[in-house]
Amino acid sequence: MQADYERELLGFTGRERNYAVELTYVEEICFDIKISKIPCLPHYFIGMFHYRGAILPVARLEEQSKDEQKRQVLLVFSCNGYRLGVVIPGDPYVISFEELKRIEHPEQPEFEGIWKVQEILRAGRGLTFLLDVEKTVEAMVIYK
């Protein structure tokens, strides 16, 4: 793992929380994409996306009402040999780890679904929940 002062995070603002992921997991950011709906998927998956000749499952970070839907922004994560698309609310931004302060001994927040939080950080935009991409992707894998 890199030293904290060298790490950069990709942040995005949700309806109720700010989120971040380590840039090392982000393969690409895609805008205005078409997601194909697939029936009988777990509730956190919203469909599939055709990405560079492969079909990727797409999950949502948060529920969005139809009134709130802006343009679709999709992060393509690559982790432990798996690829996953995640629709995020709003446009992403880069956060330097130098701008953040760790929150010591926080209560573990209750997240719906399978999203795992690695740590909670304080930044200029308020609290930011750093998602643990490895544990989240591992929780989503049904067959190995």
Side-chain angles (χ1 to χ4, degrees):
M1 185 173 242
Q2 295 175 316
D4 283 347
Y5 62 86
E6 294 176 355
R7 287 170 53 193
E8 286 187 327
L9 305 176
L10 187 68
F12 37 96
T13 303
R15 286 189 349 218
E16 298 177 10
R17 296 183 174 104
N18 297 317
Y19 302 96
V21 295
E22 291 187 41
L23 272 175
T24 56
Y25 295 113
V26 179
E27 188 171 315
E28 188 169 346
I29 302 170
C30 304
F31 296 93
D32 300 320
I33 47 93
K34 173 130 175 66
I35 297 172
S36 300
K37 305 287 185 206
I38 306 291
C40 303
L41 290 175
H43 70 281
Y44 46 84
F45 284 112
I46 57 175
M48 300 292 187
F49 172 62
H50 186 262
Y51 176 74
R52 298 182 183 213
I55 303 296
L56 297 184
V58 177
R60 75 175 121 238
L61 186 63
E62 294 183 334
E63 289 287 333
Q64 278 188 313
S65 69
K66 299 212 185 260
D67 319 348
E68 284 186 300
Q69 288 182 350
K70 304 171 192 168
R71 69 179 178 162
Q72 295 231 357
V73 180
L74 181 114
L75 300 180
V76 177
F77 290 148
S78 181
C79 177
N80 296 333
Y82 296 104
R83 277 190 180 150
L84 168 70
V86 177
V87 172
I88 62 171
D91 290 333
Y93 50 90
V94 176
I95 305 170
S96 170
F97 219 83
E98 296 169 341
E99 302 171 29
L100 301 171
K101 180 180 177 181
R102 284 189 172 95
I103 304 296
E104 298 296 327
H105 309 293
E107 290 184 26
Q108 187 66 10
E110 289 297 318
F111 273 61
E112 291 183 17
I114 46 80
W115 300 102
K116 309 295 182 210
V117 175
Q118 185 172 331
E119 58 187 317
I120 301 174
L121 307 163
R122 183 179 308 280
R125 297 178 186 240
L127 294 180
T128 298
F129 293 82
L130 178 60
L131 299 177
D132 189 327
V133 175
E134 287 186 24
K135 287 183 181 175
T136 298
V137 169
E138 185 177 299
M140 288 184 183
V141 174
I142 298 170
Y143 298 104
K144 291 187 179 186

